[in-house]
Amino acid sequence: MSNKLITLENISKSYDNHLVLDEMNLYIRENEFVTLLGPSGCGKTTTLRIIGGFENPDTGRVVFDGKDITKLPAYKRQLNTVFQKYALFTHMNIAENIAFGLKIKNKSKSYIDDKIKYALKLVNLEGYENRMPDSLSGGQQQRIAIARAIVNEPKVLLLDEPLGALDLKLRQDMQYELIRLKNELGITFIYVTHDQEEALTMSDTIVVMNQGYIQQIGTPEMIYNEPENAFVADFIGDSNIIDSIMIRDELVEILGAKFACVDTGFGENVHVDVVIRPEDIELVSPEEGTISGVVTSLIFKGVHYEMDVMANGYEWLVHSTKMFPVGEKVGIKVDPFNIQIMNKPASEDEEAVQIEE
Amino acid sequence: MANVLKRIYIALIFIFLYAPMLVLIVLSFNKSKSRAKWGGFTFQWYTKLLSDSSIMEALVTTLMLAVLSALISTFIGTIAAIAITSLKKGARTLMMGITNIPMLNAEIVTGISLMLLFIFFNVKFGFTTILLAHITFNIPYVILSVMPRIKQLNPSAYEAAMDLGASPFKAFFKVVFPDILPGVFSGLLMAFTMSIDDFIITHFTKGAGVDTLSTKIYSQVRKGIDPKMYALSSLIFVTVLVLLILINILPGSGKKAKEK
Ligand SMILES: Nc1ncnc2c1ncn2[C@@H]1O[C@H](COP(=O)(O)OP(=O)(O)OP(=O)(O)O)[C@@H](O)[C@H]1O
Ligand SMILES: [Mg+2]
């Protein structure tokens, strides 16, 4: 429906012979909320800085709205950034901070005043015009940073872990506010985080990255339910990732027991990785289960119980609303739809890249 | 008990530090020319001082030197401080070492080396050579007072300014410079003070015919005791003291300005 606004073509970047981004390809559609998600050091900030114009890629092109902007300096790009560390101008008050970009563009005083009012209203901080940045809380400063960016009416807003320094409650409030802002303003958000829950809550599209490679691109549902490889499965939520053998279509042997599944086309007697989410495991009596084992630990987590079950030499992580005490013999059952089969990485090399630690 | 001892100790330190200055100031108001006798209170040495044209000339030279060398060294030093902070770690440590050496170096060594340098390059001794010398020894002080300010900068602020459309030049003057201004200003004052205060380096780099207040005092005192010189020295002491107090309360004043 909407066209590609930003395209990254074969972007590579290294610092002192250390490859940070390797031939990255990515496009971002107009009006999309895209999240770059990955562990610390995987190259998220670097990607964002290349889009923002603060870093030059070694190879490749950045295309914005059909024009090559790879060489365009940051101050000429039609996008604005909200930095990880707020980066408000400490010697200016809130109104002056918000007006900064507009003054540079020589907007009229009345236009600027209107914009300041509008932006402060948008971020729920009306009446803060004359306060100094360091008299504001972290969450308020971050909202001012957002206000300062959006008054310039950018086509794209880049946000680098904008909620990273806030406590949990404030983070959740801000997440909803950001989604509301995005819907009200109708601009494209490129959002960086290493918090998978945040990514799942807010995004239209998630780009999972690791060590400079894109691991998977997809909607939150796709990323969560159908991770393409063990890294994604492991990084997004808790998972049981088990080395298994695909016996034939729709039948997989996990830890010596045969489970029905729905995947086809992997071939016969092929080594695969199986992903089973802890909430998809059903604990039943030992006779009813496909495999049986013993509960080795039990933690109450509020919404559910978290249990470890030792069965056929593997410690299964299980989330269930039913409680089984430690030492109890239980059976494990999994619905065929909830068994996700993934190809093994083709080579050792690839495995090193894809599986962290 | 310990408290009393502490106070006595501090009092002793102050007496040793300031007694000579106190004697000087007292003598500058002494009617009698003798150093041993109190002949009554007078302002006459101060009035005579003001009517001595060679001293007034030296005063003008001193102030011109102080203002010019402070301005120029502040300009160079600030740029240098910015450049040094953006260096890689090893190079930065090296540069800071090089910057610190002239400050730790005995002044007489600096003075003589500068003199030899000017002779080597055949520079005519005079106002220019003193000015160059003062700029040289002032730069490290400026660097040292600007540097901490730059380190405190939020590195994203500069990028944020460019992100909002400011050219690198504008971003520097609108965002970075106001933040380091208190450091720049105290560097300027420091350089000004150091320049007024200096005798040794000036002595070696001035030619015949040019005098600053300190070299003037030196040559006069050598000729014989003149209480005018007590008055002059007292004035310099008070000026430098006031400047130093200013410098020391200034770094905090940056914060206060923000709150108002
Ligand atoms: N200016 C730089 N000089 C040298 N190395 C750098 C520089 N910037 C980033 N790196 C390296 O590049 C890699 C990727 O960094 P990047 O900041 O993009 O990670 P990130 O995914 O944003 O991580 P985080 O979640 O910790 O912010 C890291 O190994 C980092 O050490
Ligand atoms: Mg980062």
Side-chain angles (χ1 to χ4, degrees):
Chain A
M1 46 156 203
S2 39
N3 56 324
K4 296 174 187 177
L5 186 59
I6 296 179
T7 316
L8 301 182
E9 292 173 2
N10 293 316
I11 297 283
S12 296
K13 175 81 189 172
S14 43
Y15 293 110
D16 317 317
N17 292 326
H18 165 61
L19 195 61
V20 175
L21 293 179
D22 193 6
E23 306 253 312
M24 183 171 188
N25 283 290
L26 177 68
Y27 63 81
I28 289 144
R29 286 203 209 83
E30 218 165 291
N31 239 327
E32 201 175 10
F33 194 125
V34 178
T35 299
L36 306 179
L37 174 68
S40 190
C42 71
K44 305 180 296 287
T45 298
T46 307
T47 309
L48 210 64
R49 289 174 61 81
I50 287 173
I51 300 175
F54 298 109
E55 214 78 66
N56 278 318
D58 300 337
T59 65
R61 301 197 314 151
V62 183
V63 179
F64 181 84
D65 226 359
K67 284 188 283 290
D68 184 344
I69 58 161
T70 319
K71 293 272 168 332
L72 199 68
Y75 64 95
K76 289 186 180 155
R77 297 194 182 190
Q78 279 183 14
L79 23 84
N80 286 111
T81 310
V82 175
F83 291 84
Q84 193 161 4
K85 290 186 211 114
Y86 324 138
L88 295 181
F89 307 134
T90 48
H91 60 282
M92 299 180 194
N93 69 21
I94 298 308
E96 287 164 339
N97 262 281
I98 298 177
F100 190 89
L102 299 173
K103 277 191 189 146
I104 283 178
K105 291 183 197 85
N106 286 322
K107 301 285 187 198
S108 73
K109 173 130 182 22
S110 61
Y111 177 87
I112 293 178
D113 287 346
D114 283 352
K115 274 284 182 186
I116 294 174
K117 273 227 170 60
Y118 161 78
L120 283 176
K121 188 160 181 221
L122 212 55
V123 296
N124 277 331
L125 287 174
E126 286 151 292
Y128 277 67
E129 282 89 346
N130 295 318
R131 294 277 290 269
M132 295 306 285
D134 50 10
S135 75
L136 266 55
S137 73
Q140 291 171 333
Q141 289 190 35
Q142 194 56 289
R143 278 184 277 169
I144 296 300
I146 294 167
R148 183 177 68 179
I150 58 182
V151 289
N152 301 289
E153 299 175 358
K155 284 201 165 166
V156 181
L157 196 60
L158 310 176
L159 303 105
D160 191 356
E161 305 204 26
L163 312 182
L166 308 181
D167 63 44
L168 185 67
K169 179 78 182 68
L170 199 53
R171 278 180 89 103
Q172 287 168 345
D173 291 348
M174 287 291 293
Q175 286 172 11
Y176 290 113
E177 259 184 76
L178 280 174
I179 297 171
R180 176 180 63 83
L181 268 180
K182 152 130 207 312
N183 293 337
E184 262 173 54
L185 296 168
I187 49 181
T188 308
F189 274 42
I190 305 180
Y191 192 92
V192 163
T193 182
H194 59 245
D195 179 337
Q196 38 118 348
E197 253 180 63
E198 197 166 285
L200 292 171
T201 315
M202 302 174 75
S203 325
D204 298 324
T205 305
I206 296 179
V207 179
V208 185
M209 293 176 63
N210 188 34
Q211 302 191 1
Y213 293 88
I214 293 180
Q215 302 290 326
Q216 187 173 353
I217 303 178
T219 62
E221 290 83 0
M222 275 162 65
I223 300 272
Y224 189 83
N225 293 328
E226 296 148 41
E228 269 169 23
N229 58 45
F231 173 81
V232 177
D234 192 36
F235 192 74
I236 308 285
D238 299 318
S239 282
N240 296 288
I241 302 170
I242 310 164
D243 188 10
S244 310
I245 299 164
M246 195 73 186
I247 296 185
R248 56 179 150 79
D249 282 355
E250 299 179 8
L251 188 69
V252 61
E253 183 186 307
I254 304 172
L255 302 168
K258 293 192 172 61
F259 282 79
C261 64
V262 293
D263 293 81
T264 56
F266 283 84
E268 296 191 0
N269 296 315
V270 189
H271 277 274
V272 291
D273 278 324
V274 162
V275 175
I276 303 173
R277 295 285 177 194
E279 64 271 23
D280 292 336
I281 294 173
E282 197 185 341
L283 291 184
V284 291
S285 65
E287 307 78 49
E288 278 180 79
T290 320
I291 305 187
S292 66
V294 177
V295 178
T296 56
S297 93
L298 168 73
I299 304 168
F300 178 58
K301 286 272 181 161
V303 209
H304 60 255
Y305 293 93
E306 184 179 299
M307 285 163 280
D308 287 334
V309 176
M310 193 65 185
N312 290 19
Y314 181 84
E315 195 145 82
W316 298 68
L317 181 69
V318 182
H319 292 172
S320 168
T321 47
K322 274 186 278 175
M323 192 265 275
F324 295 83
V326 173
E328 178 122 333
K329 278 208 87 176
V330 291
I332 286 176
K333 242 175 91 176
V334 187
D335 187 295
F337 279 99
N338 290 328
I339 295 178
Q340 168 79 18
I341 313 280
M342 300 177 309
N343 270 315
K344 282 269 184 203
S347 67
E348 290 286 309
D349 241 18
E350 210 173 311
E351 182 158 33
V353 167
Q354 292 185 336
I355 300 176
E356 231 208 342
E357 291 155 357
Chain B
M1 187 61 208
N3 243 334
V4 176
L5 278 181
K6 255 192 236 163
R7 288 205 180 149
I8 293 175
Y9 183 68
I10 289 177
L12 276 177
I13 288 180
F14 272 95
I15 288 170
F16 276 112
L17 278 178
Y18 287 97
M21 293 317 305
L22 215 70
V23 172
L24 186 76
I25 292 171
V26 170
L27 284 179
S28 73
F29 293 110
N30 186 3
K31 206 174 252 167
S32 148
K33 265 195 166 191
S34 155
R35 265 173 289 182
K37 244 189 3 230
W38 177 250
F41 184 85
T42 179
F43 270 121
Q44 69 177 7
W45 308 121
Y46 285 89
T47 41
K48 278 199 180 146
L49 186 68
L50 291 177
S51 53
D52 183 326
S53 67
S54 75
I55 287 177
M56 284 303 113
E57 209 174 287
L59 173 70
V60 171
T61 313
T62 306
L63 288 178
M64 290 229 318
L65 270 174
V67 169
L68 283 176
S69 73
L71 285 176
I72 298 172
S73 59
T74 303
F75 180 73
I76 299 175
T78 304
I79 293 175
I82 294 169
I84 291 173
T85 22
S86 59
L87 285 175
K88 292 227 173 89
K89 192 133 185 273
R92 195 189 324 144
T93 320
L94 183 73
M95 277 308 294
M96 282 315 287
I98 293 175
T99 316
N100 286 338
I101 290 169
M103 295 203 332
L104 302 172
N105 213 352
E107 273 190 51
I108 190 151
V109 178
T110 311
I112 293 177
S113 348
L114 280 167
M115 180 182 78
L116 292 175
L117 186 79
F118 291 139
I119 292 173
F120 183 79
F121 283 106
N122 221 347
V123 188
K124 206 168 149 281
F125 282 90
F127 186 82
T128 324
T129 47
I130 314 178
L131 181 61
L132 287 174
H134 281 210
I135 293 170
T136 311
F137 73 70
N138 273 338
I139 289 175
Y141 291 100
V142 176
I143 294 182
L144 278 191
S145 72
V146 176
M147 198 77 120
R149 281 277 159 181
I150 299 177
K151 287 209 182 119
Q152 279 170 24
L153 280 179
N154 179 348
S156 314
Y158 175 64
E159 289 187 344
M162 290 204 282
D163 186 75
L164 294 166
S167 62
F169 184 77
K170 251 192 186 157
F172 176 80
F173 278 102
K174 294 209 156 171
V175 171
V176 178
F177 194 65
D179 267 3
I180 62 173
L181 195 60
V184 174
F185 193 63
S186 74
L188 184 85
L189 269 187
M190 183 88 103
F192 185 79
T193 314
M194 289 318 223
S195 171
I196 288 190
D197 205 31
D198 180 71
F199 165 69
I200 300 176
I201 295 174
T202 314
H203 182 68
F204 282 102
T205 51
K206 83 184 184 69
V210 193
D211 263 313
T212 65
L213 287 177
S214 57
T215 61
K216 188 85 200 165
I217 294 173
Y218 180 72
S219 59
Q220 296 274 327
V221 168
R222 271 206 313 187
K223 278 187 223 148
I225 300 140
D226 182 349
K228 263 191 301 194
M229 290 305 124
Y230 301 155
L232 184 54
S233 306
S234 304
L235 284 179
I236 295 180
F237 169 73
V238 171
T239 313
V240 170
L241 187 71
V242 168
L243 284 173
L244 281 177
I245 291 171
L246 269 184
I247 291 169
N248 277 302
I249 54 176
L250 263 180
S253 71
K255 264 232 160 77
K256 270 174 226 143
K258 248 187 245 163
E259 275 158 17
K260 70 170 184 230

